[in-house]
Amino acid sequence: MKTNKPATRHTNPYAHSPRPFSARVLDGPERAPSRAMLYPVGFKPEDFIKPMIGIASAWSMVTPCNMHLDQLAREAEAGANAAGGKAIVFNTITISDGISMGTEGMKYSLVSREVIADSIETVAGCEGMDGLVAIGGCDKNMPGALIAMARLNRPAVFVYGGTILPGCITGDSRNLDIVSVFEAVGAHAKRRIDDKEFQAIESCAIPGPGACGGMYTANTMASAIEALGMSLPNSSAQNAISEAKKEDCRRAGATVLEMLKQGLRPLDIMTKSAFENAITVVIALGGSTNAVLHLLAMAHACNVKLMLDDFTRIGKRVPVLADLKPSGKHLMSELVAIGGIRPLMKTLLEAGLVHGDCVTVTGQTMAETLVDVQPYPQGQTIIAPLDRPLKKESHLVILYGNLAPEGAVAKITGHEGLRFTGKARVFDSEEQAMQKILSGGIRKGDVIVIRYEGPKGGPGMREMLSPTSAIMGEGLGKDVALITDGRFSGGSHGFVVGHITPEAYVGGPIALVKNGDPITIDAEKRQINLELSTRELKQRRLAWEAPRPRYTRGVLAKYANAVTSASLGAVTDQNLHP
């Protein structure tokens, strides 16, 4: 990969004042009421001349992914204060995909990305914060925080809350995680495990704080953000409960103050080349399909032109190297133990697959941050060498065809084959499909079609972890395919295709599929087609009627009205840019 010239820095707004935003709120006799409000929350007179640093914490007891972030926020606060700033901790929301998966509540998941972005932008913008540290543990926290950072374009660092440790059952050598529980549902329904083992897996899989333990969406997005240059080295590969993670937070707080001095801002860092680095690392790690959706949305916030076809272009030359769950054997905590993603990134840099001249939050280029990184230990089996990859090209395959004229995203690792032809089994919701799967109504050769689950149609584009896991648990992973205008959890594996666009709700071809229709998915040709004549499809389109909105009030209705296609990142401000 050719390297580009380093991004030209914007004019430094901090050259004459390290407090260009907080000064407007706090300086001068007329701002005395503003200062008065801050004494009760811990300000002293000398604090009013320091840069104000917001610490956005996604702490919540809603989910183990985020239950420890309040402690990490205090570490970031201490780091910022010690470096000469005055930090203010504030919260944003989080939801739990794992808890809401398969229910109506999951429709709020992708919506939460927009709420998080809006809330961080609102607080930092309103209060005149000069810089920002954002700490997130679940996958929507991360793109939400980065979108807000791009909009504000003030010195900022993202901190990942860290990965969970594996769960285990006494006397059982298996490393368990949340996907183990989802797959146990299918295995239990098929009577492949008994009630006792089912209960043991349920109660032991989640041992404490941290994000889901495989290369699922949280660990994928943390790795992508580090590759993007917006977090400190190693932030993506640390255990949630560790001294390394506390130190990461303290350093992040101090780094924002240094960025203020340099005039280094997010839009200096999040360039097209930096996004290409993020895509490269996601592919090499075998990361989640959600990375496509989130990176498109993050790039949109940066006014960077990133498209689905960029994933294809980069994917043709970047191999899959990581043997990580869900398709592989290992957990993120095992990758942490051998050095995290830094040695992998150095390998990719030396192979010309990473832009080394992209600037990072450290003020150094990506290449400079990798100079002293040591290789993985001899004999490790988690990261394959470049000359013996697990897959020569990307597992994230962008498909087009008469079923997805605007594109779809498949996760094809090679374990499930490269081509699938079968007969459609059509369901107009995830619940309908799940009922049929668990009752034994799915057969070898079926292509399960779950529609009206797109960004507008759901609304909210639910993840299909429950049906994909049930399929795997029933032992049908290599025998059936599942396609949807919804999306997938990073924990999903099997022959799955999501993000089919246009979605059913707006009259996309997936809305016209009937039971028994032949469907062919070809990863090598990058096509997904409904094997019907153009004439038949036209006749069906004439007979199709648009469904009524499922929600007419509240946040889901607002989201459905504003959201764009998944092929554009499912953003909610597409028409607001000049």
Side-chain angles (χ1 to χ4, degrees), residues 315 337 342 364 515:
R342 304 299 288 175
Q364 296 179 301
N515 283 323

Side-chain angles (χ1 to χ4, degrees), residues 125-371:
C126 174
E127 302 302 322
M129 291 171 175
D130 300 302
L132 185 69
V133 175
I135 307 173
C138 283
D139 54 303
K140 259 39 109 270
N141 305 164
M142 302 182 206
L146 269 291
I147 290 168
M149 288 174 179
R151 292 175 184 170
L152 291 162
N153 199 28
R154 302 173 191 185
V157 177
F158 179 78
V159 175
Y160 177 42
T163 189
I164 198 170
L165 294 173
C168 62
I169 300 172
T170 303
D172 192 322
S173 62
R174 287 178 296 173
N175 281 334
L176 301 177
D177 63 4
I178 185 61
V179 175
S180 307
V181 187
F182 277 98
E183 294 185 358
V185 173
H188 184 257
K190 202 77 171 177
R191 305 204 181 282
R192 297 172 70 195
I193 60 173
D194 60 21
D195 291 349
K196 183 178 180 181
E197 183 177 355
F198 189 36
Q199 171 60 26
I201 293 171
E202 173 188 325
S203 60
C204 297
I206 312 295
C212 300
M215 191 45 64
Y216 311 143
T217 306
N219 282 317
T220 297
M221 290 311 302
S223 301
I225 291 168
E226 182 174 334
L228 192 64
M230 284 299 296
S231 61
L232 292 171
N234 283 322
S235 184
S236 69
Q238 295 165 335
N239 293 324
I241 303 301
S242 65
E243 285 303 315
K245 183 47 65 183
K246 291 179 182 178
E247 179 60 21
D248 183 38
C249 294
R250 290 190 288 267
R251 289 178 58 221
T255 297
V256 174
L257 272 295
E258 186 59 35
M259 293 174 74
L260 276 163
K261 293 175 185 176
Q262 295 181 26
L264 179 60
R265 296 186 284 170
L267 296 186
D268 300 320
I269 297 167
M270 291 192 280
T271 63
K272 179 66 177 285
S273 293
F275 277 100
E276 291 180 348
N277 285 349
I279 293 169
T280 295
V281 169
V282 167
I283 292 169
L285 289 169
S288 167
T289 53
N290 279 321
V292 178
L293 196 71
H294 294 327
L295 288 172
L296 289 172
M298 289 158 56
H300 172 73
C302 297
N303 278 324
V304 168
K305 189 176 181 181
L306 193 70
M307 300 182 295
L308 281 177
D309 291 345
D310 288 312
F311 290 83
T312 299
R313 173 176 56 83
I314 296 168
K316 287 180 178 179
R317 59 175 178 258
V318 178
V320 178
L321 299 176
D323 188 17
L324 293 164
K325 289 189 174 186
S327 300
K329 303 183 185 74
H330 299 282
L331 290 169
M332 188 66 179
S333 56
E334 297 174 82
L335 182 59
V336 171
I338 65 167
I341 72 168
R342 304 299 288 175
L344 170 64
M345 290 179 65
K346 188 169 185 178
T347 297
L348 295 168
L349 174 69
E350 291 172 345
L353 297 172
V354 160
H355 298 290
D357 51 10
C358 291
V359 71
T360 71
V361 291
T362 66
Q364 296 179 301
T365 65
M366 183 61 70
E368 288 170 338
T369 69
L370 294 169
V371 167

Side-chain angles (χ1 to χ4, degrees), residues 30 63 79 103 118 210 232 358 379 452 577:
E30 71 279 8
T63 167
T103 74
D118 291 349
L232 292 171
C358 291
Y452 295 104
H577 285 176

Side-chain angles (χ1 to χ4, degrees), residues 409-455:
V409 182
K411 188 177 186 180
I412 308 294
T413 64
H415 295 293
E416 57 287 292
L418 297 172
R419 193 174 191 275
F420 195 99
T421 297
K423 302 290 186 181
R425 297 292 302 279
V426 182
F427 304 95
D428 287 345
S429 71
E430 180 185 1
E431 287 85 354
Q432 291 178 13
M434 193 66 180
Q435 183 179 11
K436 185 63 71 173
I437 293 167
L438 293 179
S439 66
I442 299 300
R443 299 286 182 263
K444 207 173 192 182
D446 284 346
V447 178
I448 301 167
V449 179
I450 304 178
R451 64 191 181 191
Y452 295 104
E453 291 287 4

Side-chain angles (χ1 to χ4, degrees), residues 61 65 152 427 440 459 466 480 532:
M61 292 303 288
C65 312
L152 291 162
F427 304 95
S466 293
V480 302
L532 296 175

Side-chain angles (χ1 to χ4, degrees), residues 453-483:
E453 291 287 4
K456 286 184 176 292
M461 206 178 180
R462 286 192 288 185
E463 293 178 346
M464 301 296 146
L465 181 57
S466 293
T468 59
S469 296
I471 289 165
M472 298 303 294
E474 291 190 3
L476 291 170
K478 294 184 178 180
D479 300 318
V480 302
L482 189 152
I483 69 173

